[in-house]
Amino acid sequence: MSDDKRVAKLEIAGKTYELPMYSPTAGPDVIDIRKLYADAGVFTYDPGYTSTASCDSTITFIDGDKGELLHRGYPIDQLAEKSHYLEVCYLLLYGELPSPAQLEDFESRVTNHTMIHEQMHFLFRGFRRDAHPMAIMVGVVGALSAFYHDSTDITDPWQREVASIRLIAKMPTIAAMAYKYTIGQPFEYPRNDLDYASNFLRMCFAVPAENFVVNPILSRAMDRIFTLHADHEQNASTSTVRLASSSGANPFACVAAGIACLWGPAHGGANQACLEMLQEIGTPDRIPEFIARAKDKDDPFRLMGFGHRVYKNFDPRAKVMKQSADEVLELLGVENNPTLQVAKELEKQALADPYFADKKLFPNVDFYSGIILEAMGFPTSMFTPIFAVSRTIGWISQWKEMIADPQLKIGRPRQLYKGATLRDYVDIEKR
Ligand code: SDX
């Protein structure tokens, strides 16, 4: 915490309270309200945490007005162009870009943890074949704590490190197995001679009946999608992982909680919902109908892939994703993909509409990602599992930062109570 001596003054019932203020290296100043209840007997009130900093962090910075996203200071567009996912994982986890030797060691450690305990294969058999892959991932990732007891003691830095590597390494394997299970195909084991993205594509699309060669265009696109979704400050699923971890729960169980939160259509589930919306729109001539619905206060419909709690400008990840969609679909010879044409026309019409301009609603990371994933051969049900694979490094990096913080306290928000005040029980004969 910075050693600012500035204070904010708050007057309540004629008494003035001085609250310390701190300045970040970037972003808004903060007011420390931790002693407010003890000193003034009042709570602050911020449903949805629109104005609340839950922690201090050095990992990711977002400037919503500028549409800027930095990972340890490096802008996302440079990382997407010049780096690759496992190098970004190293950067998020350890704070600096790795040397060649450090990168080689890190990639080797991840590669050698990609298999899961053979007994875990039986867990998949308990699900219906039509289970959503996210339902399977929540269950199987949580069950990792039943198999890897030697990396669940969060007080042991070495076990924290092993659990981190295991989660980064095993998430693609679990996601691919969830996919294979739902389509009735046999599981494919990871291969140590493939890079992270190629391994995942092979585990998803290879079958024992024939050799499978990963398309380098698709593995580069897959790696870029992983990079773009890696971390995003204190979003809902990351805050879920932090809150679950604050009780001392093991990292596997906490990441399972993060997966559950990410599944929601307002969060990571938006990529699936967005593509299904674009497919429902079908042709550009139906766009005005859907824009009208999105603007209608009486219609709960929202434009999926649009808007963001923090970005009040273009989501920088959406810009990279749009460029990647153009490149990948052209290289695959499907540049006239009707869904992509609808997405581009929808973006154009929405951004020209005062409703979206006034509310500063722009495409977010989920607007174009589904178009690429569909072109790669994934069903919409696999879009959010892929987001979960990528975001695991963000959850784990934020978890690691929090657990190592000497100020760590269990998260325990209060409330504005509006229920019944004290009253006596009424026997049923008298009701
Ligand atoms: C992700 O937080 C993160 O960082 C998340 C994420 C990450 O990397 O972790 O970036 C990933 O979750 C991206 C967001 C994916 N979700 C969607 O695309 C779903 C559609 N978007 C909305 O549901 C919404 O924009 C949210 C949930 C993303 C943000 O909601 P907020 O911040 O709570 O804003 P709000 O609901 O208060 O909306 C403000 C106004 C409202 O109108 P008024 O009540 O002021 O009149 O804008 C309207 C909303 O009705 N609005 C929309 C809209 N999004 C907001 N209207 C139509 N379509 C939309 N998409």
Side-chain angles (χ1 to χ4, degrees), residues 44-345:
T44 58
Y45 182 63
D46 186 13
Y49 311 116
T50 51
S51 301
T52 294
S54 63
C55 61
D56 46 82
S57 179
T58 61
I59 299 172
T60 291
F61 175 71
I62 301 169
D63 184 320
D65 293 328
K66 287 200 288 188
E68 182 179 64
L69 167 57
L70 308 178
H71 288 320
R72 303 289 191 177
Y74 297 99
I76 189 62
D77 51 324
Q78 290 185 26
L79 293 172
E81 184 192 342
K82 299 178 178 181
S83 185
H84 63 277
Y85 180 67
L86 280 190
E87 183 176 75
V88 172
C89 287
Y90 185 99
L91 175 65
L92 289 169
L93 203 54
Y94 302 114
E96 296 295 337
L97 289 170
S99 68
Q102 287 168 327
L103 181 59
E104 184 183 354
D105 169 66
F106 181 72
E107 291 185 336
S108 168
R109 283 189 289 144
V110 170
T111 299
N112 286 286
H113 278 83
T114 47
M115 287 176 68
I116 64 172
H117 192 294
E118 195 69 6
Q119 190 73 14
M120 295 193 80
H121 288 212
F122 297 106
L123 282 175
F124 289 82
R125 308 265 174 243
F127 290 94
R128 286 171 43 136
R129 289 284 180 173
D130 61 355
H132 193 291
M134 284 296 277
I136 298 174
M137 287 190 74
V138 170
V140 174
V141 171
L144 288 171
S145 44
F147 287 84
Y148 296 101
H149 303 99
D150 60 344
S151 60
T152 52
D153 176 358
I154 61 165
T155 63
D156 178 348
W158 173 243
Q159 291 196 36
R160 296 205 297 264
E161 178 74 11
V162 172
S164 303
I165 298 295
R166 278 175 166 156
L167 277 159
I168 298 164
K170 297 180 193 310
M171 282 293 279
T173 307
I174 292 168
M177 291 173 76
Y179 173 54
K180 284 299 198 185
Y181 184 73
T182 59
I183 59 175
Q185 288 186 359
F187 299 138
E188 284 290 336
Y189 285 86
R191 291 269 302 271
N192 290 355
D193 59 334
L194 294 176
D195 63 70
Y196 195 88
S198 301
N199 218 351
F200 176 66
L201 290 174
R202 188 190 167 281
M203 288 189 285
C204 288
F205 297 123
V207 289
E210 56 189 23
N211 287 332
F212 181 86
V213 179
V214 179
N215 180 331
I217 299 165
L218 299 188
S219 61
R220 178 66 189 135
M222 187 76 261
D223 188 272
R224 180 172 288 180
I225 285 175
F226 284 148
T227 296
L228 291 172
H229 289 82
D231 187 45
H232 213 236
E233 196 209 74
Q234 305 313 317
N235 59 85
S237 54
T238 297
S239 297
T240 299
V241 172
R242 277 182 174 259
L243 190 57
S245 307
S246 72
S247 74
N250 75 72
F252 303 114
C254 295
V255 166
I259 296 170
C261 177
L262 185 74
W263 194 1
H267 189 13
N271 53 18
Q272 172 174 348
C274 181
L275 194 88
E276 289 166 352
M277 174 192 74
L278 293 171
Q279 289 170 336
E280 185 186 356
I281 294 172
T283 53
D285 62 304
R286 291 197 63 202
I287 288 172
E289 169 196 338
F290 282 79
I291 286 184
R293 285 188 56 198
K295 293 160 63 176
D296 180 354
K297 272 279 163 242
D298 299 324
D299 188 332
F301 172 78
R302 287 193 165 180
L303 222 45
M304 291 289 106
F306 254 77
H308 199 275
R309 171 61 59 77
V310 176
Y311 289 122
K312 301 310 171 189
N313 196 328
F314 244 93
D315 180 334
R317 301 167 297 176
K319 284 183 178 175
V320 179
M321 202 75 81
K322 179 178 180 180
Q323 177 195 344
S324 195
D326 281 331
E327 289 169 4
V328 171
L329 270 62
E330 185 181 350
L331 288 167
L332 292 175
V334 289
E335 61 272 22
N336 297 321
N337 175 303
T339 311
L340 179 60
Q341 304 317 316
V342 167
K344 287 183 173 180
E345 181 60 24

Side-chain angles (χ1 to χ4, degrees), residues 17-31:
Y17 299 89
E18 294 194 345
L19 302 171
M21 289 187 72
Y22 311 124
S23 289
T25 51
D29 287 351
V30 300
I31 299 172

